[in-house]
Amino acid sequence: MALQLTGHARAVATDVRHHTDLLDEDTGPRALAEIVLAEAQRRLSTPHQGTLRSAQNRARLVRALYERLDRLQAAPDDAT
């Protein structure tokens, strides 16, 4: 399960990176997304241990990435 969550986290992180790259350099949403992406990179660089705790941590990471992606996707709608 942790391995599947790792792959999913990498895929969602790619989507977050794509949306982040579309934002202006000096914006709050971009800064927050960069922090989430840096944390995701840090967590994904450590090998999963095949434990329940490892799977839970990967699931939390996926959730955090989806939360950031949802906010990034909603940002252009807020501006109109």
Side-chain angles (χ1 to χ4, degrees):
M1 183 57 94
L3 186 57
Q4 289 177 334
L5 287 167
T6 298
H8 196 75
R10 290 182 196 281
V12 179
T14 298
D15 289 343
V16 171
R17 170 58 60 200
H18 170 74
H19 286 282
T20 301
D21 289 343
L22 298 176
L23 298 174
D24 291 334
E25 292 278 330
D26 298 326
T27 62
R30 183 179 180 122
L32 291 173
E34 294 287 349
I35 291 168
V36 170
L37 287 168
E39 179 65 14
Q41 180 62 33
R42 185 186 68 77
R43 288 187 190 184
L44 291 171
S45 68
T46 62
H48 68 87
Q49 299 158 351
T51 63
L52 175 61
R53 183 180 197 104
S54 180
Q56 287 173 330
N57 287 336
R58 298 295 167 139
R60 287 185 193 105
L61 176 59
V62 170
R63 184 178 65 213
L65 287 166
Y66 268 121
E67 287 172 359
R68 182 54 38 202
L69 182 60
D70 287 345
R71 289 187 177 131
L72 289 171
Q73 289 174 335
D77 294 337
D78 293 342
T80 59

